[in-house]
Amino acid sequence: MDSRYHIITFGCQMNEADSDVMASLLDQAGWTAASDASDADLVVLNTCSVREKPEHKADSLLGELREMKDERPGLSVIVTGCMAQREGEALAKRSRWVDAVLGTRCFHHIVDVAGRVRRGERPIVITDLEDDPAKVRCGPLAEVRQAPLKAFVPIILGCTNFCSYCIVPHVRGAEASRPAAEIIGEVRDLAARGTREVTMLGQNVLAWGRDLPTRPTFDSLLSLFDDRSAPGIDGLWRVRFLTCHPRDVNRELIGKVADIPAVCEHIHLPIQAGTDKLLRDMNRGYTVDQYRAVVGRLRAGIPGISITTDMMVGFPGETEQDFERSLTVYEEIGFDAAFMFAYSPRPGTPAAERTDQVPKKVRVERLNRLIEMQNRITVERNRWEVGNIAEVLAEGPAHKGPGLLEGKTRTNKHVVFPGDRRLVGTLAQVRLTEANLWGFRGEVAT
Ligand code: SAM
Ligand code: SF4
């Protein structure tokens, strides 16, 4: 069979990892990747519902695909991911040119469904929230999965936190952890084939294990990467993890990050808001003081750790005073970097039902003020590091110009430096010479 597929991915790293799974399964079934939708027999649109904007973008892309399909009726269109899960049958009804809709835990059906669509069966809608991660992740994807220098490895699916603004628990189902042996097996296989850095993924990785029969903890999973006390993982240099819920950071985690050489000194710890009122209304499960205390313990226990975060402005009921209070808290904590969002009402979430929505204009204006402040702090903090020598995993040629390489520090900061292509795939010692918003310029230290 010479059939070509193209996957378009919106959203977070979890979606990227899910797209990887689908690509691997299609490759294994004899499909070939096409670099462009116009070149493909099958287009998969892997969608995101976390805010309104990515849903709008997916809708406009669906419009383009409709035109493509008018010209080439043989083209198959499959919509997957959060928007597929959220809308299900309704999506197939309102976009009649869509051949199949696959929810967030149905990726393992991709080959079967693509085959059925080709045989004329349509529309197919599958949105079961399968609770066995082994099926969803298709077991270890060892033989088929590509092994890039850096890879994402999902360790827990779903979320059970139900923050009042968030669609994720509704579209990704309850927490379901992969067993440690399966995770380590996948990482070992990736490392054997050239992966040097893995990022373990989950909406809250610190919840990992709670649903497994022996209730292992996330810090016990980290211990398996410590080659002083465990077999370790040959060839793997760096371990990262994303995202951490502030409520679940404990002494054991801090100890393991500080102690295990492969585990990198970076934590992504979304704060979301800087007043107790907003945090309570968001159902985040911590106060500003508790968050501050966690940051204090992280900085005391893990020298040089970088702390990044997510911040949201314009949550229902947020007054100008609340917003300014949040800015003060953020400035005082001093984050290395942040993803910043204007609140976007998501249908079916409690926050969307509230009658005290903040006008869009105000949300946008607050977001701009927040970005301006955080950008200044990011540059200031980066400046403190100029002159230091950092370990950088050289990932490849930099987009910033010829003769330049780029990579990340252990603290997950971007570095661009002149270097020979032969350095790609190695750990370089780089002196940081110039700080920017995006990271650093540097030079290889001899
Ligand atoms: N599980 C992660 C956590 O708890 O931090 C984050 C998952 S979510 C995909 C990523 C970020 O999107 C959140 O941290 C939040 O800041 C933002 N987000 C979620 N729902 C949102 C909404 N309705 N409007 C705007 N931003 C939202
Ligand atoms: Fe959404 Fe909260 Fe779960 Fe993160 S922890 S995915 S913000 S519900």
Side-chain angles (χ1 to χ4, degrees), residues 147-385:
L149 197 57
K150 302 191 339 177
F152 292 124
V153 175
I155 62 166
I156 176 168
L157 313 178
C159 180
T160 328
N161 278 325
F162 289 96
C163 298
S164 63
Y165 50 80
C166 187
I167 194 79
V168 171
H170 306 266
V171 291
R172 287 198 169 260
E175 283 159 1
S177 305
R178 300 175 71 192
E182 191 183 300
I183 297 166
I184 295 297
E186 185 170 329
V187 173
R188 197 165 268 143
D189 178 78
L190 285 165
R193 292 183 297 132
T195 294
R196 298 289 165 256
E197 176 181 309
V198 292
T199 302
M200 293 192 272
L201 286 184
Q203 297 301 339
N204 175 18
V205 287
L206 304 184
W208 179 82
R210 283 179 196 158
D211 58 301
L212 292 173
T214 57
R215 297 179 62 82
T217 53
F218 180 70
D219 62 277
S220 72
L221 182 62
L222 284 183
S223 297
L224 302 176
F225 292 92
D226 187 354
D227 52 16
R228 297 164 306 172
S229 56
I233 296 178
D234 278 345
L236 189 75
W237 298 336
R238 289 175 164 190
V239 178
R240 301 184 186 278
F241 49 88
L242 272 178
T243 294
C244 290
H245 196 292
R247 197 189 42 209
D248 296 324
V249 174
N250 58 23
R251 199 183 310 143
E252 287 73 24
L253 174 80
I254 296 174
K256 294 286 167 59
V257 177
D259 189 46
I260 302 174
V263 178
C264 289
E265 299 78 18
H266 168 233
I267 190 162
H268 189 67
L269 194 70
I271 185 167
Q272 310 295 5
T275 75
D276 289 347
K277 177 193 92 175
L278 288 170
L279 289 172
R280 190 190 55 236
D281 289 359
M282 288 177 167
N283 192 28
R284 287 293 291 176
Y286 52 85
T287 61
V288 173
D289 276 348
Q290 284 167 334
Y291 187 94
R292 272 200 200 97
V294 170
V295 168
R297 287 198 288 274
L298 284 163
R299 285 186 172 147
I302 308 166
I305 189 172
S306 73
I307 302 181
T308 55
T309 198
D310 292 351
M311 302 162 170
M312 192 191 301
V313 298
F315 182 81
E318 183 191 71
T319 61
E320 177 61 22
Q321 221 179 8
D322 292 327
F323 171 65
E324 284 175 10
R325 178 83 199 108
S326 293
L327 288 185
T328 310
V329 169
Y330 300 156
E331 174 132 37
E332 173 219 318
I333 293 173
F335 292 103
D336 288 272
F339 294 114
M340 294 164 272
F341 309 104
Y343 167 73
S344 166
R346 306 313 298 132
T349 60
E353 306 296 313
R354 287 179 53 157
T355 51
D356 51 356
Q357 301 290 327
V358 174
K360 188 160 185 194
K361 198 166 150 248
V362 178
R363 283 183 261 155
V364 171
E365 183 255 339
R366 286 183 189 162
L367 180 62
N368 289 336
R369 282 160 68 195
L370 173 65
I371 291 173
E372 200 182 309
M373 187 198 80
Q374 180 56 46
N375 285 355
R376 171 175 56 75
I377 293 172
T378 298
V379 176
E380 267 169 30
R381 294 187 71 86
N382 285 347
R383 279 205 190 113
W384 297 349
E385 294 181 50

Side-chain angles (χ1 to χ4, degrees), residues 381-391 429-433 440-443 445:
R381 294 187 71 86
N382 285 347
R383 279 205 190 113
W384 297 349
E385 294 181 50
V386 169
N388 291 355
I389 292 179
E391 176 200 282
Q429 295 298 318
V430 178
R431 187 185 311 281
L432 307 176
T433 55
F440 300 92
R441 287 190 181 265
E443 59 197 19

